[in-house]
Amino acid sequence: MLSNISRKANMAVTEGLRNFKNDQKGVTAIEYGLIAIAVAVLIVSVFYGNTGFIKTLQGKFDNLTTTISSAVVTTGTGGTGTNSSSTTPGTNQQ
């Protein structure tokens, strides 16, 4: 009984392999899969490499943050929102 089942399974596998070998529909799917892998590798290398787009963009935002941080005007006491070193128009600063 067990040998009969194993013989049927062996025949089914052999027949399936023969049908798979002669079937050309899967070739196109494999080609599209290979193209998708190549595109994915290209995207990863362009965007996430050491000199890639993401690193360059991070550098630009770091420069922008530094520029904005250095341009912040400190406010004076009293909460008026003016710079403590500024003068009111029409007054003499001595």
Side-chain angles (χ1 to χ4, degrees):
M1 168 123 173
L2 189 59
S3 66
N4 190 22
I5 293 173
S6 65
R7 186 174 45 97
K8 285 182 180 180
N10 186 21
M11 286 175 38
V13 169
T14 305
E15 187 66 29
L17 288 174
R18 260 191 233 131
N19 289 339
F20 180 75
K21 183 179 78 170
N22 295 330
D23 188 13
Q24 294 293 317
K25 290 184 284 188
V27 173
T28 303
I30 291 171
E31 289 170 351
Y32 282 126
L34 292 173
I35 291 170
I37 289 171
V39 169
V41 168
L42 180 68
I43 288 172
V44 168
S45 66
V46 167
F47 284 96
Y48 296 103
N50 289 336
T51 59
F53 177 74
I54 299 297
K55 292 287 184 182
T56 304
L57 190 62
Q58 284 175 343
K60 295 291 184 184
F61 274 107
D62 289 342
N63 290 340
L64 181 64
T65 302
T66 304
T67 303
I68 291 173
S69 296
S70 65
V72 171
V73 178
T74 58
T75 61
T77 58
T80 60
T82 60
N83 191 342
S84 62
S85 64
S86 66
T87 60
T88 306
T91 61
N92 291 335
Q93 183 182 16
Q94 298 190 12

PDB file of all heavy atoms in Angstrom, residues 30-51:
ATOM      1  N   ILE A  30       9.155  35.069 -14.935  1.00  0.00           N
ATOM      2  CA  ILE A  30      10.528  35.077 -14.412  1.00  0.00           C
ATOM      3  C   ILE A  30      11.299  36.284 -14.943  1.00  0.00           C
ATOM      4  O   ILE A  30      12.026  36.946 -14.199  1.00  0.00           O
ATOM      5  CB  ILE A  30      11.244  33.754 -14.756  1.00  0.00           C
ATOM      6  CG1 ILE A  30      10.624  32.604 -13.972  1.00  0.00           C
ATOM      7  CG2 ILE A  30      12.733  33.853 -14.471  1.00  0.00           C
ATOM      8  CD1 ILE A  30      11.097  31.239 -14.385  1.00  0.00           C
ATOM      9  N   GLU A  31      11.112  36.597 -16.207  1.00  0.00           N
ATOM     10  CA  GLU A  31      11.791  37.766 -16.776  1.00  0.00           C
ATOM     11  C   GLU A  31      11.344  39.049 -16.099  1.00  0.00           C
ATOM     12  O   GLU A  31      12.160  39.913 -15.757  1.00  0.00           O
ATOM     13  CB  GLU A  31      11.524  37.845 -18.276  1.00  0.00           C
ATOM     14  CG  GLU A  31      12.227  36.775 -19.074  1.00  0.00           C
ATOM     15  CD  GLU A  31      11.769  36.705 -20.520  1.00  0.00           C
ATOM     16  OE1 GLU A  31      10.770  37.382 -20.865  1.00  0.00           O
ATOM     17  OE2 GLU A  31      12.412  35.986 -21.293  1.00  0.00           O
ATOM     18  N   TYR A  32      10.030  39.191 -15.879  1.00  0.00           N
ATOM     19  CA  TYR A  32       9.530  40.370 -15.171  1.00  0.00           C
ATOM     20  C   TYR A  32      10.061  40.417 -13.737  1.00  0.00           C
ATOM     21  O   TYR A  32      10.354  41.481 -13.209  1.00  0.00           O
ATOM     22  CB  TYR A  32       8.005  40.409 -15.173  1.00  0.00           C
ATOM     23  CG  TYR A  32       7.418  40.883 -16.480  1.00  0.00           C
ATOM     24  CD1 TYR A  32       6.472  40.128 -17.152  1.00  0.00           C
ATOM     25  CD2 TYR A  32       7.813  42.091 -17.037  1.00  0.00           C
ATOM     26  CE1 TYR A  32       5.934  40.555 -18.353  1.00  0.00           C
ATOM     27  CE2 TYR A  32       7.282  42.528 -18.242  1.00  0.00           C
ATOM     28  CZ  TYR A  32       6.347  41.760 -18.888  1.00  0.00           C
ATOM     29  OH  TYR A  32       5.819  42.197 -20.073  1.00  0.00           O
ATOM     30  N   GLY A  33      10.176  39.268 -13.118  1.00  0.00           N
ATOM     31  CA  GLY A  33      10.743  39.218 -11.762  1.00  0.00           C
ATOM     32  C   GLY A  33      12.186  39.680 -11.736  1.00  0.00           C
ATOM     33  O   GLY A  33      12.594  40.427 -10.849  1.00  0.00           O
ATOM     34  N   LEU A  34      12.971  39.254 -12.711  1.00  0.00           N
ATOM     35  CA  LEU A  34      14.370  39.685 -12.789  1.00  0.00           C
ATOM     36  C   LEU A  34      14.484  41.186 -13.051  1.00  0.00           C
ATOM     37  O   LEU A  34      15.343  41.865 -12.485  1.00  0.00           O
ATOM     38  CB  LEU A  34      15.105  38.898 -13.868  1.00  0.00           C
ATOM     39  CG  LEU A  34      15.326  37.413 -13.580  1.00  0.00           C
ATOM     40  CD1 LEU A  34      15.918  36.719 -14.792  1.00  0.00           C
ATOM     41  CD2 LEU A  34      16.199  37.235 -12.357  1.00  0.00           C
ATOM     42  N   ILE A  35      13.599  41.706 -13.897  1.00  0.00           N
ATOM     43  CA  ILE A  35      13.596  43.153 -14.159  1.00  0.00           C
ATOM     44  C   ILE A  35      13.239  43.908 -12.886  1.00  0.00           C
ATOM     45  O   ILE A  35      13.858  44.934 -12.559  1.00  0.00           O
ATOM     46  CB  ILE A  35      12.628  43.490 -15.313  1.00  0.00           C
ATOM     47  CG1 ILE A  35      13.183  42.949 -16.630  1.00  0.00           C
ATOM     48  CG2 ILE A  35      12.382  44.988 -15.404  1.00  0.00           C
ATOM     49  CD1 ILE A  35      12.204  43.003 -17.784  1.00  0.00           C
ATOM     50  N   ALA A  36      12.254  43.411 -12.130  1.00  0.00           N
ATOM     51  CA  ALA A  36      11.857  44.063 -10.885  1.00  0.00           C
ATOM     52  C   ALA A  36      12.997  44.062  -9.873  1.00  0.00           C
ATOM     53  O   ALA A  36      13.224  45.064  -9.178  1.00  0.00           O
ATOM     54  CB  ALA A  36      10.629  43.372 -10.302  1.00  0.00           C
ATOM     55  N   ILE A  37      13.738  42.976  -9.804  1.00  0.00           N
ATOM     56  CA  ILE A  37      14.882  42.910  -8.883  1.00  0.00           C
ATOM     57  C   ILE A  37      15.949  43.910  -9.306  1.00  0.00           C
ATOM     58  O   ILE A  37      16.522  44.612  -8.461  1.00  0.00           O
ATOM     59  CB  ILE A  37      15.445  41.474  -8.831  1.00  0.00           C
ATOM     60  CG1 ILE A  37      14.464  40.555  -8.104  1.00  0.00           C
ATOM     61  CG2 ILE A  37      16.806  41.441  -8.154  1.00  0.00           C
ATOM     62  CD1 ILE A  37      14.820  39.088  -8.185  1.00  0.00           C
ATOM     63  N   ALA A  38      16.212  44.015 -10.600  1.00  0.00           N
ATOM     64  CA  ALA A  38      17.223  44.959 -11.085  1.00  0.00           C
ATOM     65  C   ALA A  38      16.816  46.402 -10.781  1.00  0.00           C
ATOM     66  O   ALA A  38      17.643  47.214 -10.343  1.00  0.00           O
ATOM     67  CB  ALA A  38      17.437  44.782 -12.580  1.00  0.00           C
ATOM     68  N   VAL A  39      15.549  46.721 -10.964  1.00  0.00           N
ATOM     69  CA  VAL A  39      15.072  48.071 -10.671  1.00  0.00           C
ATOM     70  C   VAL A  39      15.166  48.346  -9.170  1.00  0.00           C
ATOM     71  O   VAL A  39      15.559  49.442  -8.754  1.00  0.00           O
ATOM     72  CB  VAL A  39      13.633  48.267 -11.196  1.00  0.00           C
ATOM     73  CG1 VAL A  39      13.019  49.542 -10.676  1.00  0.00           C
ATOM     74  CG2 VAL A  39      13.632  48.268 -12.709  1.00  0.00           C
ATOM     75  N   ALA A  40      14.813  47.368  -8.344  1.00  0.00           N
ATOM     76  CA  ALA A  40      14.897  47.543  -6.893  1.00  0.00           C
ATOM     77  C   ALA A  40      16.338  47.795  -6.452  1.00  0.00           C
ATOM     78  O   ALA A  40      16.592  48.672  -5.614  1.00  0.00           O
ATOM     79  CB  ALA A  40      14.332  46.316  -6.184  1.00  0.00           C
ATOM     80  N   VAL A  41      17.278  47.052  -7.000  1.00  0.00           N
ATOM     81  CA  VAL A  41      18.691  47.259  -6.665  1.00  0.00           C
ATOM     82  C   VAL A  41      19.149  48.650  -7.107  1.00  0.00           C
ATOM     83  O   VAL A  41      19.860  49.344  -6.372  1.00  0.00           O
ATOM     84  CB  VAL A  41      19.568  46.155  -7.309  1.00  0.00           C
ATOM     85  CG1 VAL A  41      21.042  46.501  -7.235  1.00  0.00           C
ATOM     86  CG2 VAL A  41      19.296  44.820  -6.643  1.00  0.00           C
ATOM     87  N   LEU A  42      18.724  49.086  -8.265  1.00  0.00           N
ATOM     88  CA  LEU A  42      19.066  50.423  -8.754  1.00  0.00           C
ATOM     89  C   LEU A  42      18.504  51.497  -7.835  1.00  0.00           C
ATOM     90  O   LEU A  42      19.210  52.452  -7.480  1.00  0.00           O
ATOM     91  CB  LEU A  42      18.540  50.610 -10.178  1.00  0.00           C
ATOM     92  CG  LEU A  42      18.822  51.960 -10.819  1.00  0.00           C
ATOM     93  CD1 LEU A  42      20.313  52.113 -11.071  1.00  0.00           C
ATOM     94  CD2 LEU A  42      18.056  52.101 -12.109  1.00  0.00           C
ATOM     95  N   ILE A  43      17.260  51.364  -7.432  1.00  0.00           N
ATOM     96  CA  ILE A  43      16.641  52.350  -6.538  1.00  0.00           C
ATOM     97  C   ILE A  43      17.363  52.399  -5.208  1.00  0.00           C
ATOM     98  O   ILE A  43      17.658  53.485  -4.689  1.00  0.00           O
ATOM     99  CB  ILE A  43      15.147  52.037  -6.349  1.00  0.00           C
ATOM    100  CG1 ILE A  43      14.387  52.361  -7.629  1.00  0.00           C
ATOM    101  CG2 ILE A  43      14.558  52.802  -5.172  1.00  0.00           C
ATOM    102  CD1 ILE A  43      12.949  51.918  -7.622  1.00  0.00           C
ATOM    103  N   VAL A  44      17.671  51.255  -4.649  1.00  0.00           N
ATOM    104  CA  VAL A  44      18.373  51.226  -3.360  1.00  0.00           C
ATOM    105  C   VAL A  44      19.746  51.866  -3.485  1.00  0.00           C
ATOM    106  O   VAL A  44      20.158  52.650  -2.628  1.00  0.00           O
ATOM    107  CB  VAL A  44      18.474  49.776  -2.835  1.00  0.00           C
ATOM    108  CG1 VAL A  44      19.445  49.678  -1.678  1.00  0.00           C
ATOM    109  CG2 VAL A  44      17.102  49.281  -2.417  1.00  0.00           C
ATOM    110  N   SER A  45      20.468  51.573  -4.548  1.00  0.00           N
ATOM    111  CA  SER A  45      21.812  52.136  -4.690  1.00  0.00           C
ATOM    112  C   SER A  45      21.775  53.637  -4.934  1.00  0.00           C
ATOM    113  O   SER A  45      22.637  54.366  -4.449  1.00  0.00           O
ATOM    114  CB  SER A  45      22.573  51.427  -5.815  1.00  0.00           C
ATOM    115  OG  SER A  45      21.970  51.698  -7.063  1.00  0.00           O
ATOM    116  N   VAL A  46      20.786  54.135  -5.664  1.00  0.00           N
ATOM    117  CA  VAL A  46      20.705  55.572  -5.944  1.00  0.00           C
ATOM    118  C   VAL A  46      20.247  56.343  -4.719  1.00  0.00           C
ATOM    119  O   VAL A  46      20.808  57.376  -4.366  1.00  0.00           O
ATOM    120  CB  VAL A  46      19.758  55.836  -7.141  1.00  0.00           C
ATOM    121  CG1 VAL A  46      19.400  57.303  -7.251  1.00  0.00           C
ATOM    122  CG2 VAL A  46      20.404  55.369  -8.427  1.00  0.00           C
ATOM    123  N   PHE A  47      19.229  55.851  -4.043  1.00  0.00           N
ATOM    124  CA  PHE A  47      18.636  56.606  -2.958  1.00  0.00           C
ATOM    125  C   PHE A  47      19.322  56.391  -1.617  1.00  0.00           C
ATOM    126  O   PHE A  47      19.368  57.295  -0.793  1.00  0.00           O
ATOM    127  CB  PHE A  47      17.148  56.273  -2.821  1.00  0.00           C
ATOM    128  CG  PHE A  47      16.313  56.925  -3.875  1.00  0.00           C
ATOM    129  CD1 PHE A  47      15.959  56.247  -5.021  1.00  0.00           C
ATOM    130  CD2 PHE A  47      15.898  58.227  -3.732  1.00  0.00           C
ATOM    131  CE1 PHE A  47      15.193  56.839  -6.002  1.00  0.00           C
ATOM    132  CE2 PHE A  47      15.136  58.840  -4.698  1.00  0.00           C
ATOM    133  CZ  PHE A  47      14.778  58.146  -5.839  1.00  0.00           C
ATOM    134  N   TYR A  48      19.839  55.207  -1.348  1.00  0.00           N
ATOM    135  CA  TYR A  48      20.332  54.897  -0.018  1.00  0.00           C
ATOM    136  C   TYR A  48      21.822  54.643   0.058  1.00  0.00           C
ATOM    137  O   TYR A  48      22.321  54.205   1.079  1.00  0.00           O
ATOM    138  CB  TYR A  48      19.573  53.694   0.541  1.00  0.00           C
ATOM    139  CG  TYR A  48      18.113  53.986   0.720  1.00  0.00           C
ATOM    140  CD1 TYR A  48      17.171  53.503  -0.170  1.00  0.00           C
ATOM    141  CD2 TYR A  48      17.682  54.779   1.765  1.00  0.00           C
ATOM    142  CE1 TYR A  48      15.826  53.787  -0.018  1.00  0.00           C
ATOM    143  CE2 TYR A  48      16.340  55.068   1.932  1.00  0.00           C
ATOM    144  CZ  TYR A  48      15.425  54.572   1.039  1.00  0.00           C
ATOM    145  OH  TYR A  48      14.096  54.858   1.194  1.00  0.00           O
ATOM    146  N   GLY A  49      22.576  54.921  -0.977  1.00  0.00           N
ATOM    147  CA  GLY A  49      24.029  54.759  -0.931  1.00  0.00           C
ATOM    148  C   GLY A  49      24.672  55.856  -0.096  1.00  0.00           C
ATOM    149  O   GLY A  49      24.016  56.794   0.376  1.00  0.00           O
ATOM    150  N   ASN A  50      25.973  55.759   0.122  1.00  0.00           N
ATOM    151  CA  ASN A  50      26.686  56.768   0.909  1.00  0.00           C
ATOM    152  C   ASN A  50      26.631  58.148   0.271  1.00  0.00           C
ATOM    153  O   ASN A  50      26.642  59.154   0.965  1.00  0.00           O
ATOM    154  CB  ASN A  50      28.139  56.340   1.128  1.00  0.00           C
ATOM    155  CG  ASN A  50      28.237  55.177   2.082  1.00  0.00           C
ATOM    156  OD1 ASN A  50      27.359  54.953   2.904  1.00  0.00           O
ATOM    157  ND2 ASN A  50      29.310  54.420   1.966  1.00  0.00           N
ATOM    158  N   THR A  51      26.588  58.207  -1.030  1.00  0.00           N
ATOM    159  CA  THR A  51      26.488  59.489  -1.726  1.00  0.00           C
ATOM    160  C   THR A  51      25.141  59.606  -2.429  1.00  0.00           C
ATOM    161  O   THR A  51      24.999  60.357  -3.373  1.00  0.00           O
ATOM    162  CB  THR A  51      27.617  59.626  -2.768  1.00  0.00           C
ATOM    163  OG1 THR A  51      27.500  58.547  -3.702  1.00  0.00           O
ATOM    164  CG2 THR A  51      28.967  59.620  -2.116  1.00  0.00           C
TER     165      THR A  51
END
